[in-house]
C-alpha cells in the first residue's frame, strides 16, 4: 500500500476551527458570567457616532425649518460616512488612543491625589527652585502648580 492510501485526509483548517470554537465558547461563558462588556474603542466610537446622530435627528425644534433639519441630516450622514472608513481601516489605532487616554488620566489622578494629601495635612507645596516664583527658574518654562 502507498502512504497516500494509509493516511486519513488531514483538514488543514482543523486547528484554526478548533481554536475559533474554543474562543467563542470562552466568550460566551464570560458573557454569561459577567454580562456584555464594552467593545473595542472602534466599536465604541461607532456607537457614539450613532447615538449622537440619533439624538440630533430626534431634536424637533419649531425654530428649525424643514430646510434646516434636512441640512442637519445631511451633515450627520456625511460625518458618519467620513468616520466609518477610518474606523474600518484602523480599528487598532482607536484602541491605542484609548490606552493613551487611560494613561493620561492615571497620571492626572496621581498628581491630584498627591496634592489632595498635602492639602488635607496642610503641608506646603514642595519648592524645587525651578518654578519661577522664588527667582530660581531657568528659561521661559514654568512649573504648573495645581494648587
Amino acid at each position: 500500500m502507498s502512504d497516500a492510501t494509509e493516511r486519513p485526509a488531514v483538514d488543514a483548517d482543523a486547528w484554526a476551527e478548533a481554536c475559533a470554537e474554543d474562543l467563542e465558547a470562552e466568550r460566551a461563558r464570560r458573557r454569561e458570567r459577567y454580562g456584555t462588556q464594552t467593545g473595542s474603542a472602534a466599536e465604541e466610537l461607532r456607537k457614539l457616532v450613532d447615538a449622537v446622530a440619533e439624538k440630533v435627528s430626534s431634536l424637533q425644534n419649531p425654530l428649525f425649518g424643514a430646510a434646516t433639519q434636512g441640512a442637519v441630516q445631511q451633515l450627520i450622514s456625511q460625518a458618519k460616512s467620513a468616520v466609518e472608513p477610518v474606523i474600518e481601516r484602523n480599528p487598532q489605532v482607536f484602541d491605542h488612543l484609548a490606552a493613551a487616554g487611560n494613561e493620561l488620566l492615571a497620571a492626572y489622578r496621581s498628581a491630584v491625589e498627591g496634592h489632595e494629601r498635602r492639602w488635607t495635612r496642610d503641608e506646603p507645596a514642595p519648592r524645587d527652585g525651578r518654578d519661577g516664583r522664588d527667582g530660581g527658574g531657568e528659561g521661559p518654562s514654568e512649573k504648573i502648580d495645581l494648587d
Side-chain angles (χ1 to χ4, degrees):
M1 278 183 127
S2 69
D3 288 339
T5 58
E6 292 177 16
R7 294 184 192 164
V10 176
D11 185 5
D13 293 328
W15 180 256
E17 289 174 10
C19 289
E21 290 171 2
D22 289 347
L23 180 60
E24 186 55 39
E26 178 64 17
R27 286 179 178 162
R29 186 185 67 78
R30 287 179 184 247
R31 276 192 303 271
E32 182 180 308
R33 186 174 198 181
Y34 302 113
T36 57
Q37 300 293 318
T38 59
S40 70
E43 291 169 358
E44 294 300 314
L45 177 61
R46 190 176 287 122
K47 288 179 188 177
L48 175 65
V49 168
D50 289 340
V52 169
E54 182 179 322
K55 185 64 176 175
V56 169
S57 65
S58 71
L59 295 175
Q60 298 296 327
N61 192 332
L63 297 176
F64 294 151
T68 304
Q69 289 178 351
V72 168
Q73 291 295 331
Q74 184 179 3
L75 180 65
I76 290 169
S77 66
Q78 286 176 347
K80 286 176 78 172
S81 65
V83 168
E84 195 64 35
V86 174
I87 293 172
E88 290 296 321
R89 284 191 305 260
N90 306 303
Q92 70 281 6
V93 170
F94 295 100
D95 292 332
H96 290 297
L97 289 173
N102 287 335
E103 291 295 322
L104 288 171
L105 181 60
Y108 177 76
R109 283 183 179 159
S110 176
V112 169
E113 287 172 357
H115 283 287
E116 286 176 343
R117 280 193 297 273
R118 284 195 300 277
W119 292 334
T120 59
R121 291 184 284 191
D122 291 326
E123 293 178 14
R127 302 280 185 225
D128 60 3
R130 294 184 299 157
D131 64 0
R133 287 189 273 176
D134 59 1
E138 294 180 22
S141 65
E142 285 187 17
K143 177 181 175 187
I144 298 173
D145 195 359
L146 297 176
D147 286 337

